[in-house]
Amino acid sequence: MALPAQSAALLAAAVAIAAIAFLLPPSSRLSWTPRGRFADMILANATIYTADPARPFAGAMAVRAGRVLRVGTYESVTELKGRHTYELNLSGNVLLPGFIDSHVHFIDGGLQLARVPLRGVRSKDDFINRVKEAVRDKHPGQWILGGGWNNDVWGGDFPAAAWLDDISPDNPVWLSRMDGHMGIANSLAMKIAGIDRSTNDPIGGTIMRTAEGEPTGLLVDTAMKLMFDVFDKASIHERREALLRASRHALMRGVTTVVDVGSYFPGASSEKTWQDFSDVYEWAHSMQKMMIRVCLFFPMPTWSRVSDLIAENGRSLSQWIHLGGVKAFLDGSLGSSSALFHEPYEGDPGNYGLQVTDIDSLLNQTLESDKSGLQVAIHAIGDKANDMLLDMFDKVVDLNGVKDRRFRIEHAQHLSPGAANRFSKHGTIASVQPDHLLDDADFAAKKIGFERAERSSYTFRSLLAGGAQLAFGSDWPVSDINPLKAIQTAMSRKPPGWEVPWIPIERLSLDESLKAHTISAAYACFLDHAVGSLSQGKYADFVVLPSTSWEDFAGDLPAHVLATYVSGKLAYP
């Protein structure tokens, strides 16, 4: 019986992956020892995109001791072939630098892979059924945790505790929205947290209520802390397993480095990120279980602790763990109607969004972090939040002086006219997530009006034209880790079911999109000396794709990678 086309393609890919793995000698999965001037491995007959402007393309590459020894023609590389050098003929397959995901909540993503999956749920009934299935596997009293729901997909109605109470009378439930700025609790969970009609909204957060003043179960931004304080914390074992699970998931998508901004959200304890560092990352490092490179950002209120850690250990604990800087929040998200705008939300004239951090406090902490040499990354989604940050960065430079600091604005989703040109003034990084536009394209106009949405949303081309550095990421688990899909999204800007692009003038080229997931992403976290391009001396992190020519790749981006290598070793499959 003939296989469907998709199944046949997947089978062919699996055979190709198996062939690569089979051809490799057993030693290729182990650490290599340098042998004089010769290479450990030569990749021949390849279509290599280097992301290095000095040599954008090459046909062969030599690797020794986990680093790129030479990139060039086959003739130039074979000078480095010795008796023990292994040569892999790639038959023209495209080879790219390992992808860098510039914004993830890595351990949370690994945990979410084992929890109630609500991404893609398209109806109230499906939402309820997913939770009902999870309840069957739990004892009374056990928490039901999950996330990824998007009410806009099923028409806009927010879930309520009443949806969950009948199916989970004996289990507290907490399910976070896809953007991480809102969640829904059932009545039992609210009772445990002490949330009732007399509970006041915390600063920077909202407890959603009925017309009669009763909590609906929805908590926005800092109000989520009321729930974070009571639900079961993942054990050390679960979090360690989550790191390993997340690493395998990333490698499967061709990601070899991530910028982990931690488990720090409005309302969450800053201590959680530090516990993940000591309990999980330091453990994995000491046990030699690290599979990919991570650049860690810590909560800005703990900046002095980060500074002390770097003073004691340096910027890098090893090739695997780099200490990046500090992260803060200024506003919420568009989907939760808490992103901060100059103008109010459509149909809600009193709502301009939420400023979740006092700007004077944020300025003072940024000044101290910057003086200590820490890179600063701040979340801003609405146009007012982005303008406030750009103004604040001006003040920081005026007070602390000019230096290579690479301020980062995380998301930069909606910009006021002229704001894109301001990023270049101090070399501010726009850390953006292309796949978020797939979620927002259908609903941004409903939130902020058609004209504002068309003018301000995901202005990638304008940012580049204004001199900004773009760094692509996923915000996993808000969106899935999938660089190839993100690159396609940045190029096409076509959400599912759309015939035409959303704001086509903001589309990027293939080269621009690839750089944003490789060398520009490395620059954005001060790792461009070590990763991001296939250049001599850098780590040999790369992915092999099923495309057998550059024309094949550029004309039809594949949906998967064949193989992922880290430090010249096969890491996936």
Side-chain angles (χ1 to χ4, degrees):
M1 183 176 68
L3 286 171
Q6 184 179 21
S7 298
L10 289 173
L11 179 60
V15 169
I17 291 170
I20 289 175
F22 178 77
L23 286 169
L24 286 172
S27 62
S28 68
R29 290 181 179 267
L30 305 174
S31 295
W32 283 305
T33 302
R35 298 184 180 91
R37 67 181 188 87
F38 296 117
D40 298 311
M41 178 170 68
I42 286 176
L43 296 115
N45 193 17
T47 304
I48 301 174
Y49 173 86
T50 67
D52 183 346
R55 181 187 284 274
F57 289 93
M61 182 169 70
V63 176
R64 184 171 70 199
R67 294 181 182 265
V68 176
L69 188 58
R70 185 177 295 173
V71 181
T73 64
Y74 179 70
E75 290 72 20
S76 68
V77 167
T78 50
E79 296 175 6
L80 304 169
K81 185 174 182 180
R83 189 161 55 92
H84 299 286
T85 301
Y86 175 73
E87 183 173 319
L88 177 61
N89 187 326
L90 287 176
S91 302
N93 281 72
V94 171
L95 190 149
L96 305 176
F99 294 121
I100 299 169
D101 192 312
S102 295
H103 187 116
V104 297
H105 308 276
F106 205 49
I107 294 174
D108 286 339
L111 288 169
Q112 183 57 44
L113 288 173
R115 291 177 175 173
V116 183
L118 296 171
R119 172 164 292 280
V121 165
R122 305 196 69 80
S123 70
K124 172 182 176 180
D125 289 343
D126 193 8
F127 180 97
I128 293 170
N129 286 334
R130 295 279 183 97
V131 179
K132 188 185 295 185
E133 290 173 12
V135 171
R136 292 195 193 105
D137 298 328
K138 298 289 186 180
H139 299 298
Q142 283 187 287
W143 280 80
I144 307 295
L145 302 174
W149 58 268
N150 181 2
N151 53 294
D152 291 324
V153 172
W154 61 67
D157 291 339
F158 285 114
W163 292 19
L164 306 169
D165 290 343
D166 289 343
I167 61 171
S168 58
D170 302 316
N171 296 89
V173 178
W174 173 252
L175 307 167
S176 59
R177 194 179 186 275
M178 57 169 288
D179 54 21
H181 288 265
M182 174 187 283
I184 180 69
N186 68 349
S187 293
L188 179 56
M190 285 194 289
K191 182 178 179 181
I192 293 171
I195 299 171
D196 57 31
R197 65 181 300 137
S198 65
T199 307
N200 294 324
D201 288 352
I203 296 172
T206 305
I207 300 170
M208 304 289 281
R209 305 172 194 271
T210 66
E212 294 75 33
E214 294 292 337
T216 66
L218 283 168
L219 305 178
V220 184
D221 283 311
T222 60
M224 297 188 293
K225 186 177 189 301
L226 299 169
M227 200 58 56
F228 295 155
D229 287 343
V230 298
F231 69 67
D232 288 348
K233 306 296 190 295
S235 68
I236 290 177
H237 173 74
E238 288 174 318
R239 284 152 53 220
R240 289 173 177 175
E241 285 298 311
L243 172 62
L244 303 181
R245 190 184 302 119
S247 299
R248 289 189 290 267
H249 185 71
L251 289 167
M252 183 174 66
R253 303 299 177 84
V255 173
T256 55
T257 300
V258 297
V259 176
D260 185 2
V261 293
S263 301
Y264 181 53
F265 302 92
S269 168
S270 61
E271 193 57 32
K272 190 177 177 187
T273 297
W274 283 98
Q275 289 170 349
D276 284 342
F277 173 67
S278 60
D279 294 344
V280 181
Y281 280 117
E282 288 193 316
W283 164 82
H285 180 248
S286 67
M287 299 297 291
Q288 298 185 342
K289 291 183 178 290
M290 291 297 296
M291 303 180 202
I292 68 171
R293 308 184 202 285
V294 296
C295 178
L296 302 178
F297 276 73
F298 296 83
M300 185 182 280
T302 66
W303 65 266
S304 62
R305 197 169 166 185
V306 185
S307 181
D308 290 344
L309 181 67
I310 291 174
E312 181 180 347
N313 297 281
R315 291 278 174 185
S316 296
L317 302 186
S318 69
Q319 64 164 302
W320 300 107
I321 300 177
H322 181 77
L323 304 175
V326 290
K327 161 86 183 296
F329 288 85
L330 185 52
D331 68 345
S333 73
L334 182 71
S336 297
S337 298
S338 57
L340 187 62
F341 286 94
H342 289 292
E343 301 173 60
Y345 284 84
E346 289 287 295
D348 193 2
N351 182 15
Y352 291 80
L354 289 173
Q355 182 181 322
V356 301
T357 307
D358 175 73
I359 192 64
D360 290 332
S361 173
L362 187 63
L363 172 60
N364 289 333
Q365 290 183 19
T366 300
L367 283 167
E368 295 300 329
S369 300
D370 184 65
K371 282 179 187 174
S372 298
L374 300 176
Q375 189 178 16
V376 171
I378 302 178
H379 165 118
I381 287 182
D383 57 11
K384 184 175 182 179
N386 278 278
D387 283 344
M388 290 173 71
L389 277 191
L390 291 165
D391 290 343
M392 190 187 78
F393 290 160
D394 285 343
K395 293 180 183 177
V396 173
V397 174
D398 286 343
L399 292 168
N400 284 356
V402 176
K403 63 178 180 178
D404 182 12
R405 46 175 46 97
R406 305 184 199 180
F407 286 135
R408 293 170 60 113
I409 295 184
E410 304 298 319
H411 309 303
Q413 284 180 7
H414 301 278
L415 301 181
S416 59
N421 293 329
R422 297 181 64 192
F423 278 69
S424 65
K425 183 177 180 182
H426 305 304
T428 300
I429 308 294
S431 172
V432 299
Q433 300 77 41
D435 276 352
H436 283 353
L437 75 82
L438 301 179
D439 296 312
D440 285 355
D442 284 318
F443 313 110
K446 298 177 185 176
K447 292 282 187 180
I448 59 174
F450 179 81
E451 191 276 331
R452 285 166 64 193
E454 292 286 311
R455 178 190 72 210
S456 72
S457 303
Y458 299 90
T459 57
F460 300 158
R461 165 63 55 203
S462 297
L463 282 162
L464 271 187
Q469 287 271 357
L470 283 185
F472 280 179
S474 65
D475 203 6
W476 188 58
V478 176
S479 292
D480 194 14
I481 289 180
N482 197 338
L484 287 169
K485 182 166 173 278
I487 289 165
Q488 179 65 60
T489 298
M491 293 168 58
S492 71
R493 295 180 70 102
K494 280 188 182 178
W498 283 46
E499 294 297 324
V500 295
W502 185 40
I503 320 178
I505 196 171
E506 295 294 345
R507 287 179 294 186
L508 298 182
S509 69
L510 174 59
D511 184 63
E512 291 164 339
S513 302
L514 285 170
K515 283 185 167 62
H517 246 317
T518 54
I519 190 59
S520 293
Y523 175 87
C525 59
F526 283 94
L527 286 178
D528 46 314
H529 65 285
V531 295
S533 65
L534 295 174
S535 309
Q536 185 174 355
K538 291 190 179 185
Y539 290 116
D541 298 349
F542 57 91
V543 294
V544 181
L545 301 178
S547 310
T548 55
S549 70
W550 190 252
E551 291 72 23
D552 178 28
F553 172 65
D556 185 15
L557 263 63
H560 65 279
V561 304
L562 285 182
T564 305
Y565 288 77
V566 180
S567 293
K569 296 182 290 185
L570 185 65
Y572 168 81

